[in-house]
Amino acid sequence: MKSVYFVQHGIAHAKEVDANRALSDRGNLETHKVAAYLKAHKVMVNKIYHSGKLRARQTAVIFSQILAVKELVELAGMAPNDNPELLKQHIAENAVIYVGHLPNLSKVVAQLVTGDANCSLVKFQNSAVLCVEMDESSAAIKWFITADMC
């Protein structure tokens, strides 16, 4: 059984404020809170993948610093409207975080757990972490931590 973690990037500035959509102060703070919560609860992570968009990369960097994860990798197939199969086919490692965007993350998790990418399974929140336990034949949501819970 492996544990895989999915994180919607932290709250970013609006396009009108920042064309690159960097994390806002709130997004930065909430991401730090959630990452510190995971560390306090001894969640072990071996690698972090992110979409490459600035807000996802910044979120991934915060998690990597707090959780002492050395391997931080940009991964194709994690953009907001990418086909969920692209990311689903990549998931093979244990103790990995994927930092991405909606609706892609929701569709990937729904596909893994129910077999239907369009199933409305979980309502992601910025900086929140969803843990999915998987084996070769099944996947189930184990827990979901939001910034408000930390």
Side-chain angles (χ1 to χ4, degrees):
M1 193 68 82
K2 64 184 165 207
S3 294
V4 180
Y5 309 97
F6 297 91
V7 177
Q8 180 187 356
H9 62 79
I11 296 171
H13 292 287
K15 271 185 206 176
E16 302 78 37
V17 175
D18 176 3
N20 293 320
R21 307 237 21 237
L23 288 183
S24 66
D25 290 343
R26 180 176 171 197
N28 201 316
L29 175 68
E30 288 181 348
T31 302
H32 275 87
K33 278 176 54 176
V34 173
Y37 182 91
L38 294 185
K39 180 178 181 178
H41 287 83
K42 300 183 180 1
V43 173
M44 302 302 294
V45 176
N46 298 322
K47 187 185 292 185
I48 301 175
Y49 290 100
H50 62 86
S51 71
K53 291 187 180 285
L54 180 58
R55 58 197 178 274
R57 186 174 67 246
Q58 289 175 318
T59 301
V61 166
I62 292 167
F63 275 96
S64 73
Q65 290 170 341
I66 292 174
L67 298 175
V69 178
K70 293 183 172 101
E71 215 171 336
L72 195 61
V73 180
E74 183 176 330
L75 182 65
M78 294 183 65
N81 295 308
D82 282 349
N83 182 334
E85 281 296 319
L86 296 173
L87 179 54
K88 183 183 170 227
Q89 292 172 2
H90 180 272
I91 298 169
E93 302 163 276
N94 183 41
V96 174
I97 293 178
Y98 293 91
V99 181
H101 312 268
L102 296 181
N104 181 263
L105 288 179
S106 289
K107 290 182 176 198
V108 170
V109 169
Q111 180 71 34
L112 288 170
V113 175
T114 70
D116 178 3
N118 295 312
C119 176
S120 181
L121 187 61
V122 70
K123 184 176 166 109
F124 272 91
Q125 295 180 33
N126 294 101
S127 303
V129 181
L130 177 80
C131 176
V132 174
E133 276 194 340
M134 304 172 60
D135 61 23
E136 296 77 31
S137 61
S138 66
I141 294 172
K142 185 173 181 185
W143 49 256
F144 184 54
I145 303 295
T146 67
D148 293 340
M149 299 168 72
C150 302

